[in-house]
Amino acid sequence: MSTHINAPEGAIAPNVLLPGDPLRAKFIAENFLENAKCYNEVRGMFGFTGTYKGVTVSVQGTGMGQPSLSIYATELFKFYNVQNAIRVGTCGAVNADTKLRDTIIVNAACSDSCLLNQRFGNLHFAPVADFSLVRAADKIASEMQIRYAVGSVASSDFFYDKNENWKKWAEYGVLGIEMESAELFTLAAEYKRKAMAIMTVSDHILLGGATTAEERQTTFMNMMKLALETIVAVQ
């Protein structure tokens, strides 16, 4: 029985978008989905189900950080039989070739989280996105003619990282730092489901600079549309 998602059986679609911000979930529902209905308001973590181009899609806020994401993704996979999950969020770029407002299609996620250690001990699991979702998103992003890259991110438990661990990740080709994708990919592997992440670069840790509120809204729209079109493409 789900504890944090209060939705009746059948209320959540097999395809779910996962923004960290519950208000972004509300924005997606109101601006992209037809006949969207709210199925969850527990702890203010909104969830909605509607249709996009005839495909039933849900969007569920997950909060910030891997422990919070873990709660919602687990319940979606375990209790609501979600098959395809796409995280839609922001990241801080650490690669000079990645610019503000770019979209990143995430194919793998490094992490400093103890969640991986608790599962695997001294073993080193590699959290990766589902290839069929990544391949579809890559094709659609190219057709949309937006600035994007395909690559890895690092899911950190730190937002204010005094150790500047991002520098080490950057040495090994990581494109951006965020806080959730590694746990999503790991849970998808555990439950034999498909997952990926699509990020918007909202600030640049390496070069400095950040997007304005208006710019973030515009670039977020690209990310949201790409995620929804990817869901449609893999049906």
Side-chain angles (χ1 to χ4, degrees):
M1 180 178 178
S2 177
T3 302
H4 301 85
I5 300 175
N6 183 25
E9 184 177 353
I12 300 177
N15 312 294
V16 178
L17 268 56
L18 301 173
D21 186 350
L23 293 181
R24 192 177 303 146
K26 188 172 186 288
F27 180 89
I28 293 171
E30 292 176 345
N31 289 274
F32 287 94
L33 301 184
E34 295 183 1
N35 301 314
K37 295 182 179 179
C38 182
Y39 62 76
N40 189 67
E41 295 182 357
V42 177
R43 293 176 178 260
M45 203 59 68
F46 297 122
F48 299 86
T49 297
T51 60
Y52 180 80
K53 295 188 174 180
V55 177
T56 306
V57 180
S58 295
V59 54
Q60 173 65 56
T62 65
M64 290 187 289
Q66 294 182 82
S68 184
L69 176 284
S70 187
I71 291 171
Y72 292 96
T74 296
E75 293 186 7
L76 289 168
F77 290 147
K78 186 174 182 179
F79 301 116
Y80 295 99
N81 201 31
V82 166
Q83 298 297 311
N84 300 301
I86 300 180
R87 167 162 154 67
V88 284
T90 60
C91 69
V94 294
N95 182 291
D97 294 329
T98 306
K99 308 300 183 184
L100 284 175
R101 297 174 290 277
D102 280 2
T103 299
I104 297 177
I105 297 171
V106 179
N107 60 10
C110 311
S111 184
D112 57 18
S113 178
C114 67
L115 290 175
L116 288 174
N117 295 336
Q118 290 189 61
R119 285 191 182 94
F120 301 105
N122 292 328
L123 302 177
H124 297 278
F125 179 75
V128 295
D130 176 75
F131 178 71
S132 65
L133 291 175
V134 171
R135 178 173 57 185
D138 177 51
K139 181 176 184 295
I140 294 164
S142 178
E143 293 170 351
M144 288 174 64
Q145 297 184 336
I146 61 176
R147 273 190 57 92
Y148 78 99
V150 179
S152 64
V153 297
S155 302
S156 177
D157 284 350
F158 277 116
F159 184 86
Y160 299 106
D161 180 11
K162 294 181 180 179
N163 296 326
E164 297 188 320
N165 291 330
W166 65 267
K167 292 181 178 179
K168 179 58 69 175
W169 296 126
E171 286 180 21
Y172 286 82
V174 167
L175 299 182
I177 309 298
E178 52 93 69
M179 301 185 73
E180 289 88 17
S181 296
E183 178 66 3
L184 176 61
F185 298 168
T186 302
L187 287 169
E190 178 182 354
Y191 286 95
K192 308 298 187 291
R193 309 301 165 82
K194 296 180 178 181
M196 71 168 296
I198 301 174
M199 305 275 99
T200 299
V201 177
S202 59
D203 59 284
H204 213 298
I205 300 172
L206 177 65
L207 301 178
T211 54
T212 65
E214 183 177 356
E215 288 172 329
R216 285 196 296 272
Q217 180 173 334
T218 302
T219 52
F220 285 4
M221 297 283 273
N222 286 339
M223 171 183 65
M224 295 168 188
K225 182 179 179 181
L226 176 57
L228 289 164
E229 292 289 340
T230 300
I231 289 295
V232 172
V234 298
Q235 299 306 300

mmCIF file of all heavy atoms in Angstrom, residues 54-97:
data_model
loop_
_atom_site.group_PDB
_atom_site.id
_atom_site.type_symbol
_atom_site.label_atom_id
_atom_site.label_comp_id
_atom_site.label_asym_id
_atom_site.label_seq_id
_atom_site.Cartn_x
_atom_site.Cartn_y
_atom_site.Cartn_z
ATOM 1 N N GLY A 54 -3.045 11.839 -27.315
ATOM 2 C CA GLY A 54 -3.784 10.598 -27.205
ATOM 3 C C GLY A 54 -3.172 9.561 -26.292
ATOM 4 O O GLY A 54 -3.772 8.504 -26.061
ATOM 5 N N VAL A 55 -1.994 9.839 -25.740
ATOM 6 C CA VAL A 55 -1.317 8.906 -24.837
ATOM 7 C C VAL A 55 -1.543 9.348 -23.397
ATOM 8 O O VAL A 55 -1.358 10.526 -23.071
ATOM 9 C CB VAL A 55 0.193 8.837 -25.140
ATOM 10 C CG1 VAL A 55 0.906 7.927 -24.143
ATOM 11 C CG2 VAL A 55 0.427 8.345 -26.561
ATOM 12 N N THR A 56 -1.946 8.424 -22.548
ATOM 13 C CA THR A 56 -2.160 8.752 -21.140
ATOM 14 C C THR A 56 -0.824 8.933 -20.435
ATOM 15 O O THR A 56 0.041 8.057 -20.493
ATOM 16 C CB THR A 56 -2.969 7.652 -20.435
ATOM 17 O OG1 THR A 56 -4.173 7.422 -21.160
ATOM 18 C CG2 THR A 56 -3.321 8.073 -19.013
ATOM 19 N N VAL A 57 -0.663 10.074 -19.776
ATOM 20 C CA VAL A 57 0.594 10.428 -19.118
ATOM 21 C C VAL A 57 0.284 10.998 -17.743
ATOM 22 O O VAL A 57 -0.663 11.769 -17.578
ATOM 23 C CB VAL A 57 1.391 11.477 -19.932
ATOM 24 C CG1 VAL A 57 2.700 11.825 -19.232
ATOM 25 C CG2 VAL A 57 1.658 10.985 -21.348
ATOM 26 N N SER A 58 1.086 10.615 -16.767
ATOM 27 C CA SER A 58 1.013 11.235 -15.441
ATOM 28 C C SER A 58 2.258 12.066 -15.202
ATOM 29 O O SER A 58 3.295 11.858 -15.832
ATOM 30 C CB SER A 58 0.884 10.169 -14.346
ATOM 31 O OG SER A 58 -0.327 9.457 -14.447
ATOM 32 N N VAL A 59 2.140 13.020 -14.293
ATOM 33 C CA VAL A 59 3.289 13.818 -13.877
ATOM 34 C C VAL A 59 3.240 13.925 -12.364
ATOM 35 O O VAL A 59 2.213 14.310 -11.801
ATOM 36 C CB VAL A 59 3.299 15.200 -14.576
ATOM 37 C CG1 VAL A 59 1.995 15.940 -14.385
ATOM 38 C CG2 VAL A 59 4.484 16.030 -14.094
ATOM 39 N N GLN A 60 4.342 13.537 -11.718
ATOM 40 C CA GLN A 60 4.380 13.447 -10.264
ATOM 41 C C GLN A 60 5.592 14.172 -9.711
ATOM 42 O O GLN A 60 6.725 13.868 -10.085
ATOM 43 C CB GLN A 60 4.432 11.975 -9.828
ATOM 44 C CG GLN A 60 4.630 11.751 -8.346
ATOM 45 C CD GLN A 60 3.471 12.251 -7.525
ATOM 46 O OE1 GLN A 60 2.325 11.860 -7.741
ATOM 47 N NE2 GLN A 60 3.742 13.140 -6.579
ATOM 48 N N GLY A 61 5.381 15.142 -8.825
ATOM 49 C CA GLY A 61 6.496 15.776 -8.139
ATOM 50 C C GLY A 61 7.194 14.788 -7.227
ATOM 51 O O GLY A 61 6.557 13.882 -6.668
ATOM 52 N N THR A 62 8.508 14.961 -7.053
ATOM 53 C CA THR A 62 9.293 14.025 -6.233
ATOM 54 C C THR A 62 10.063 14.690 -5.111
ATOM 55 O O THR A 62 10.654 14.004 -4.281
ATOM 56 C CB THR A 62 10.307 13.256 -7.098
ATOM 57 O OG1 THR A 62 11.278 14.176 -7.625
ATOM 58 C CG2 THR A 62 9.622 12.508 -8.224
ATOM 59 N N GLY A 63 10.108 16.034 -5.074
ATOM 60 C CA GLY A 63 10.930 16.703 -4.077
ATOM 61 C C GLY A 63 12.396 16.713 -4.482
ATOM 62 O O GLY A 63 12.774 16.263 -5.556
ATOM 63 N N MET A 64 13.228 17.235 -3.585
ATOM 64 C CA MET A 64 14.658 17.381 -3.861
ATOM 65 C C MET A 64 15.475 16.282 -3.199
ATOM 66 O O MET A 64 15.229 15.943 -2.033
ATOM 67 C CB MET A 64 15.149 18.747 -3.378
ATOM 68 C CG MET A 64 14.622 19.909 -4.195
ATOM 69 S SD MET A 64 15.389 21.493 -3.707
ATOM 70 C CE MET A 64 14.634 21.733 -2.106
ATOM 71 N N GLY A 65 16.443 15.756 -3.917
ATOM 72 C CA GLY A 65 17.359 14.781 -3.358
ATOM 73 C C GLY A 65 16.931 13.346 -3.603
ATOM 74 O O GLY A 65 15.753 13.048 -3.826
ATOM 75 N N GLN A 66 17.920 12.445 -3.543
ATOM 76 C CA GLN A 66 17.656 11.046 -3.859
ATOM 77 C C GLN A 66 16.753 10.341 -2.846
ATOM 78 O O GLN A 66 15.908 9.527 -3.240
ATOM 79 C CB GLN A 66 18.978 10.309 -4.036
ATOM 80 C CG GLN A 66 19.728 10.814 -5.265
ATOM 81 C CD GLN A 66 21.025 10.097 -5.516
ATOM 82 O OE1 GLN A 66 21.035 9.017 -6.093
ATOM 83 N NE2 GLN A 66 22.128 10.692 -5.080
ATOM 84 N N PRO A 67 16.852 10.608 -1.533
ATOM 85 C CA PRO A 67 15.925 9.958 -0.614
ATOM 86 C C PRO A 67 14.465 10.291 -0.917
ATOM 87 O O PRO A 67 13.593 9.418 -0.853
ATOM 88 C CB PRO A 67 16.357 10.485 0.758
ATOM 89 C CG PRO A 67 17.810 10.783 0.592
ATOM 90 C CD PRO A 67 17.921 11.338 -0.806
ATOM 91 N N SER A 68 14.174 11.545 -1.250
ATOM 92 C CA SER A 68 12.806 11.931 -1.573
ATOM 93 C C SER A 68 12.359 11.292 -2.882
ATOM 94 O O SER A 68 11.263 10.704 -2.967
ATOM 95 C CB SER A 68 12.689 13.453 -1.663
ATOM 96 O OG SER A 68 11.353 13.851 -1.885
ATOM 97 N N LEU A 69 13.196 11.394 -3.921
ATOM 98 C CA LEU A 69 12.882 10.741 -5.192
ATOM 99 C C LEU A 69 12.646 9.256 -4.993
ATOM 100 O O LEU A 69 11.733 8.662 -5.586
ATOM 101 C CB LEU A 69 14.031 10.984 -6.183
ATOM 102 C CG LEU A 69 14.039 10.342 -7.577
ATOM 103 C CD1 LEU A 69 14.395 8.882 -7.587
ATOM 104 C CD2 LEU A 69 12.772 10.626 -8.351
ATOM 105 N N SER A 70 13.435 8.630 -4.137
ATOM 106 C CA SER A 70 13.340 7.193 -3.914
ATOM 107 C C SER A 70 11.966 6.786 -3.411
ATOM 108 O O SER A 70 11.419 5.743 -3.812
ATOM 109 C CB SER A 70 14.421 6.747 -2.917
ATOM 110 O OG SER A 70 14.447 5.346 -2.802
ATOM 111 N N ILE A 71 11.391 7.590 -2.532
ATOM 112 C CA ILE A 71 10.057 7.293 -2.002
ATOM 113 C C ILE A 71 9.029 7.257 -3.124
ATOM 114 O O ILE A 71 8.269 6.285 -3.276
ATOM 115 C CB ILE A 71 9.657 8.331 -0.941
ATOM 116 C CG1 ILE A 71 10.511 8.175 0.311
ATOM 117 C CG2 ILE A 71 8.169 8.209 -0.607
ATOM 118 C CD1 ILE A 71 10.338 9.299 1.316
ATOM 119 N N TYR A 72 9.009 8.302 -3.935
ATOM 120 C CA TYR A 72 7.962 8.414 -4.955
ATOM 121 C C TYR A 72 8.182 7.431 -6.100
ATOM 122 O O TYR A 72 7.219 6.808 -6.581
ATOM 123 C CB TYR A 72 7.876 9.856 -5.455
ATOM 124 C CG TYR A 72 7.360 10.767 -4.371
ATOM 125 C CD1 TYR A 72 8.238 11.486 -3.567
ATOM 126 C CD2 TYR A 72 5.996 10.846 -4.097
ATOM 127 C CE1 TYR A 72 7.771 12.278 -2.532
ATOM 128 C CE2 TYR A 72 5.522 11.638 -3.064
ATOM 129 C CZ TYR A 72 6.411 12.346 -2.288
ATOM 130 O OH TYR A 72 5.940 13.115 -1.248
ATOM 131 N N ALA A 73 9.413 7.260 -6.539
ATOM 132 C CA ALA A 73 9.676 6.318 -7.629
ATOM 133 C C ALA A 73 9.375 4.885 -7.197
ATOM 134 O O ALA A 73 8.808 4.099 -7.958
ATOM 135 C CB ALA A 73 11.116 6.443 -8.109
ATOM 136 N N THR A 74 9.749 4.533 -5.964
ATOM 137 C CA THR A 74 9.451 3.191 -5.466
ATOM 138 C C THR A 74 7.954 2.933 -5.459
ATOM 139 O O THR A 74 7.479 1.878 -5.916
ATOM 140 C CB THR A 74 10.014 2.999 -4.043
ATOM 141 O OG1 THR A 74 11.449 3.078 -4.090
ATOM 142 C CG2 THR A 74 9.617 1.649 -3.478
ATOM 143 N N GLU A 75 7.180 3.876 -4.931
ATOM 144 C CA GLU A 75 5.739 3.681 -4.869
ATOM 145 C C GLU A 75 5.116 3.619 -6.260
ATOM 146 O O GLU A 75 4.200 2.822 -6.517
ATOM 147 C CB GLU A 75 5.103 4.783 -4.022
ATOM 148 C CG GLU A 75 5.523 4.687 -2.552
ATOM 149 C CD GLU A 75 4.812 5.665 -1.635
ATOM 150 O OE1 GLU A 75 3.870 6.358 -2.104
ATOM 151 O OE2 GLU A 75 5.179 5.735 -0.452
ATOM 152 N N LEU A 76 5.624 4.420 -7.196
ATOM 153 C CA LEU A 76 5.103 4.384 -8.562
ATOM 154 C C LEU A 76 5.381 3.041 -9.230
ATOM 155 O O LEU A 76 4.516 2.475 -9.910
ATOM 156 C CB LEU A 76 5.708 5.521 -9.386
ATOM 157 C CG LEU A 76 5.233 6.931 -9.031
ATOM 158 C CD1 LEU A 76 6.111 7.970 -9.703
ATOM 159 C CD2 LEU A 76 3.769 7.128 -9.418
ATOM 160 N N PHE A 77 6.593 2.525 -9.055
ATOM 161 C CA PHE A 77 6.945 1.238 -9.659
ATOM 162 C C PHE A 77 6.251 0.072 -8.951
ATOM 163 O O PHE A 77 5.720 -0.830 -9.593
ATOM 164 C CB PHE A 77 8.462 1.026 -9.607
ATOM 165 C CG PHE A 77 9.255 1.929 -10.512
ATOM 166 C CD1 PHE A 77 10.521 2.366 -10.140
ATOM 167 C CD2 PHE A 77 8.757 2.336 -11.731
ATOM 168 C CE1 PHE A 77 11.272 3.185 -10.964
ATOM 169 C CE2 PHE A 77 9.486 3.167 -12.575
ATOM 170 C CZ PHE A 77 10.753 3.588 -12.192
ATOM 171 N N LYS A 78 6.255 0.091 -7.630
ATOM 172 C CA LYS A 78 5.807 -1.054 -6.840
ATOM 173 C C LYS A 78 4.290 -1.148 -6.728
ATOM 174 O O LYS A 78 3.716 -2.251 -6.821
ATOM 175 C CB LYS A 78 6.419 -0.981 -5.439
ATOM 176 C CG LYS A 78 6.130 -2.189 -4.570
ATOM 177 C CD LYS A 78 6.897 -2.093 -3.252
ATOM 178 C CE LYS A 78 6.660 -3.316 -2.380
ATOM 179 N NZ LYS A 78 7.434 -3.234 -1.097
ATOM 180 N N PHE A 79 3.619 -0.018 -6.540
ATOM 181 C CA PHE A 79 2.184 -0.043 -6.264
ATOM 182 C C PHE A 79 1.312 0.374 -7.444
ATOM 183 O O PHE A 79 0.125 0.037 -7.484
ATOM 184 C CB PHE A 79 1.862 0.850 -5.070
ATOM 185 C CG PHE A 79 2.583 0.454 -3.809
ATOM 186 C CD1 PHE A 79 3.497 1.308 -3.218
ATOM 187 C CD2 PHE A 79 2.355 -0.779 -3.223
ATOM 188 C CE1 PHE A 79 4.165 0.943 -2.056
ATOM 189 C CE2 PHE A 79 3.016 -1.154 -2.065
ATOM 190 C CZ PHE A 79 3.934 -0.295 -1.477
ATOM 191 N N TYR A 80 1.902 1.122 -8.398
ATOM 192 C CA TYR A 80 1.098 1.633 -9.513
ATOM 193 C C TYR A 80 1.563 1.131 -10.871
ATOM 194 O O TYR A 80 1.057 1.581 -11.900
ATOM 195 C CB TYR A 80 1.070 3.167 -9.474
ATOM 196 C CG TYR A 80 0.366 3.688 -8.238
ATOM 197 C CD1 TYR A 80 1.096 4.121 -7.135
ATOM 198 C CD2 TYR A 80 -1.028 3.722 -8.167
ATOM 199 C CE1 TYR A 80 0.456 4.586 -5.990
ATOM 200 C CE2 TYR A 80 -1.674 4.183 -7.026
ATOM 201 C CZ TYR A 80 -0.922 4.611 -5.942
ATOM 202 O OH TYR A 80 -1.565 5.064 -4.809
ATOM 203 N N ASN A 81 2.526 0.232 -10.890
ATOM 204 C CA ASN A 81 2.958 -0.458 -12.110
ATOM 205 C C ASN A 81 3.401 0.497 -13.215
ATOM 206 O O ASN A 81 3.168 0.250 -14.410
ATOM 207 C CB ASN A 81 1.838 -1.371 -12.629
ATOM 208 C CG ASN A 81 2.357 -2.454 -13.543
ATOM 209 O OD1 ASN A 81 3.489 -2.930 -13.390
ATOM 210 N ND2 ASN A 81 1.547 -2.865 -14.510
ATOM 211 N N VAL A 82 4.037 1.600 -12.844
ATOM 212 C CA VAL A 82 4.586 2.521 -13.842
ATOM 213 C C VAL A 82 5.691 1.818 -14.629
ATOM 214 O O VAL A 82 6.558 1.154 -14.052
ATOM 215 C CB VAL A 82 5.119 3.793 -13.157
ATOM 216 C CG1 VAL A 82 5.985 4.606 -14.105
ATOM 217 C CG2 VAL A 82 3.956 4.622 -12.644
ATOM 218 N N GLN A 83 5.654 1.984 -15.951
ATOM 219 C CA GLN A 83 6.597 1.288 -16.825
ATOM 220 C C GLN A 83 7.699 2.206 -17.360
ATOM 221 O O GLN A 83 8.834 1.771 -17.536
ATOM 222 C CB GLN A 83 5.846 0.671 -18.009
ATOM 223 C CG GLN A 83 4.817 -0.370 -17.600
ATOM 224 C CD GLN A 83 5.449 -1.567 -16.928
ATOM 225 O OE1 GLN A 83 6.412 -2.144 -17.429
ATOM 226 N NE2 GLN A 83 4.913 -1.944 -15.760
ATOM 227 N N ASN A 84 7.361 3.449 -17.660
ATOM 228 C CA ASN A 84 8.314 4.411 -18.216
ATOM 229 C C ASN A 84 8.334 5.662 -17.349
ATOM 230 O O ASN A 84 7.281 6.282 -17.140
ATOM 231 C CB ASN A 84 7.931 4.802 -19.647
ATOM 232 C CG ASN A 84 7.894 3.622 -20.589
ATOM 233 O OD1 ASN A 84 8.894 2.931 -20.767
ATOM 234 N ND2 ASN A 84 6.738 3.379 -21.198
ATOM 235 N N ALA A 85 9.507 6.029 -16.853
ATOM 236 C CA ALA A 85 9.639 7.200 -15.982
ATOM 237 C C ALA A 85 10.745 8.111 -16.503
ATOM 238 O O ALA A 85 11.863 7.656 -16.727
ATOM 239 C CB ALA A 85 9.950 6.767 -14.551
ATOM 240 N N ILE A 86 10.412 9.368 -16.690
ATOM 241 C CA ILE A 86 11.393 10.346 -17.174
ATOM 242 C C ILE A 86 11.488 11.497 -16.186
ATOM 243 O O ILE A 86 10.501 12.208 -15.950
ATOM 244 C CB ILE A 86 11.020 10.894 -18.564
ATOM 245 C CG1 ILE A 86 10.944 9.758 -19.592
ATOM 246 C CG2 ILE A 86 12.055 11.941 -19.007
ATOM 247 C CD1 ILE A 86 10.570 10.228 -20.987
ATOM 248 N N ARG A 87 12.654 11.655 -15.595
ATOM 249 C CA ARG A 87 12.878 12.814 -14.734
ATOM 250 C C ARG A 87 13.064 14.046 -15.600
ATOM 251 O O ARG A 87 13.811 14.023 -16.594
ATOM 252 C CB ARG A 87 14.103 12.587 -13.847
ATOM 253 C CG ARG A 87 14.578 13.864 -13.168
ATOM 254 C CD ARG A 87 15.477 13.634 -11.986
ATOM 255 N NE ARG A 87 16.365 14.750 -11.745
ATOM 256 C CZ ARG A 87 15.999 15.966 -11.344
ATOM 257 N NH1 ARG A 87 14.715 16.235 -11.167
ATOM 258 N NH2 ARG A 87 16.883 16.918 -11.141
ATOM 259 N N VAL A 88 12.394 15.137 -15.244
ATOM 260 C CA VAL A 88 12.552 16.420 -15.929
ATOM 261 C C VAL A 88 12.948 17.446 -14.869
ATOM 262 O O VAL A 88 12.171 17.778 -13.990
ATOM 263 C CB VAL A 88 11.266 16.847 -16.679
ATOM 264 C CG1 VAL A 88 11.110 16.065 -17.959
ATOM 265 C CG2 VAL A 88 10.025 16.680 -15.811
ATOM 266 N N GLY A 89 14.188 17.912 -14.948
ATOM 267 C CA GLY A 89 14.679 18.806 -13.916
ATOM 268 C C GLY A 89 15.793 19.701 -14.413
ATOM 269 O O GLY A 89 16.007 19.845 -15.609
ATOM 270 N N THR A 90 16.508 20.287 -13.471
ATOM 271 C CA THR A 90 17.584 21.218 -13.797
ATOM 272 C C THR A 90 18.907 20.674 -13.304
ATOM 273 O O THR A 90 18.967 19.801 -12.440
ATOM 274 C CB THR A 90 17.334 22.589 -13.154
ATOM 275 O OG1 THR A 90 17.266 22.428 -11.727
ATOM 276 C CG2 THR A 90 16.035 23.197 -13.658
ATOM 277 N N CYS A 91 19.974 21.222 -13.848
ATOM 278 C CA CYS A 91 21.312 20.855 -13.387
ATOM 279 C C CYS A 91 22.238 22.047 -13.532
ATOM 280 O O CYS A 91 21.955 22.999 -14.262
ATOM 281 C CB CYS A 91 21.863 19.653 -14.159
ATOM 282 S SG CYS A 91 22.260 19.986 -15.886
ATOM 283 N N GLY A 92 23.370 21.974 -12.830
ATOM 284 C CA GLY A 92 24.425 22.960 -12.971
ATOM 285 C C GLY A 92 25.516 22.391 -13.853
ATOM 286 O O GLY A 92 26.047 21.309 -13.583
ATOM 287 N N ALA A 93 25.852 23.082 -14.920
ATOM 288 C CA ALA A 93 26.840 22.576 -15.874
ATOM 289 C C ALA A 93 28.252 22.667 -15.311
ATOM 290 O O ALA A 93 28.603 23.614 -14.598
ATOM 291 C CB ALA A 93 26.757 23.357 -17.181
ATOM 292 N N VAL A 94 29.073 21.664 -15.636
ATOM 293 C CA VAL A 94 30.481 21.664 -15.233
ATOM 294 C C VAL A 94 31.394 21.394 -16.424
ATOM 295 O O VAL A 94 32.587 21.126 -16.263
ATOM 296 C CB VAL A 94 30.752 20.624 -14.122
ATOM 297 C CG1 VAL A 94 30.025 21.013 -12.837
ATOM 298 C CG2 VAL A 94 30.366 19.216 -14.561
ATOM 299 N N ASN A 95 30.854 21.487 -17.627
ATOM 300 C CA ASN A 95 31.585 21.238 -18.859
ATOM 301 C C ASN A 95 31.562 22.497 -19.706
ATOM 302 O O ASN A 95 30.505 23.096 -19.909
ATOM 303 C CB ASN A 95 30.937 20.063 -19.599
ATOM 304 C CG ASN A 95 31.661 19.696 -20.876
ATOM 305 O OD1 ASN A 95 31.631 20.455 -21.839
ATOM 306 N ND2 ASN A 95 32.304 18.538 -20.881
ATOM 307 N N ALA A 96 32.720 22.901 -20.200
ATOM 308 C CA ALA A 96 32.823 24.167 -20.927
ATOM 309 C C ALA A 96 32.020 24.168 -22.222
ATOM 310 O O ALA A 96 31.608 25.226 -22.710
ATOM 311 C CB ALA A 96 34.297 24.475 -21.227
ATOM 312 N N ASP A 97 31.806 22.994 -22.811
ATOM 313 C CA ASP A 97 31.052 22.916 -24.059
ATOM 314 C C ASP A 97 29.542 22.950 -23.838
ATOM 315 O O ASP A 97 28.772 23.073 -24.788
ATOM 316 C CB ASP A 97 31.411 21.633 -24.813
ATOM 317 C CG ASP A 97 32.858 21.630 -25.290
ATOM 318 O OD1 ASP A 97 33.380 22.730 -25.589
ATOM 319 O OD2 ASP A 97 33.462 20.552 -25.349
#
